[in-house]
Amino acid sequence: GDPRWIVEERPDATNVNNWHWTEKNADQWSKNKIKELLTNLVIEDPKIGNVVVEEVDKIEGEARVNNRKGKLIFFYEWEIGLKWKGHVNGNDKEVKGKIEIPNLSEEHDD
């Protein structure tokens, strides 16, 4: 038979070549990466002004990495909240706000 199916024949039940479904929890890694990427992120437009993300104040959800037949499959669904501050060109007044991302997931390619 197919050598990828020898798992059932092995006494140690090794998942040869990652043929069978495996799943790893990536929640904490993802939370850390989201905070790393977004905290202190600066967005500038010379015609308008600038904004800096001060804090990621909410990250709720989950992330999983699956492996089936040697192929990686990623699933994630996050609810994210960000606090920001910024300035409009020609105005010294600081403005503040909050961004809420209610459903960031692999289902949304856009």
Side-chain angles (χ1 to χ4, degrees):
D2 190 326
R4 296 173 291 188
W5 289 102
I6 65 169
V7 173
E8 293 185 29
E9 299 172 14
R10 293 181 62 120
D12 61 0
T14 300
N15 188 359
V16 177
N17 298 324
N18 287 316
W19 185 251
H20 298 284
W21 188 274
T22 59
E23 180 174 284
K24 304 269 188 206
N25 182 322
D27 290 353
Q28 195 57 53
W29 180 88
S30 297
K31 287 178 181 181
N32 293 341
K33 194 64 170 177
I34 289 168
K35 284 184 179 181
E36 176 189 325
L37 291 171
L38 296 177
T39 303
N40 296 317
L41 174 68
V42 177
I43 302 169
E44 293 184 271
D45 184 323
K47 296 177 184 174
I48 299 170
N50 64 66
V51 170
V52 62
V53 175
E54 291 189 289
E55 177 186 2
V56 178
D57 66 344
K58 179 180 184 181
I59 304 178
E60 294 177 2
E62 64 181 356
R64 300 291 182 268
V65 178
N66 298 284
N67 193 327
R68 173 71 170 123
K69 297 182 181 181
K71 181 181 178 185
L72 291 176
I73 305 163
F74 303 97
F75 296 106
Y76 56 91
E77 187 169 348
W78 294 107
E79 187 174 337
I80 301 172
L82 310 170
K83 291 183 180 177
W84 61 268
K85 67 179 178 181
H87 292 91
V88 176
N89 287 348
N91 189 337
D92 290 336
K93 182 179 177 186
E94 183 177 84
V95 291
K96 292 186 175 199
K98 184 168 176 142
I99 299 170
E100 292 190 19
I101 304 168
N103 185 12
L104 176 67
S105 73
E106 81 284 346
E107 296 175 353
H108 302 104
D109 291 334
D110 305 347

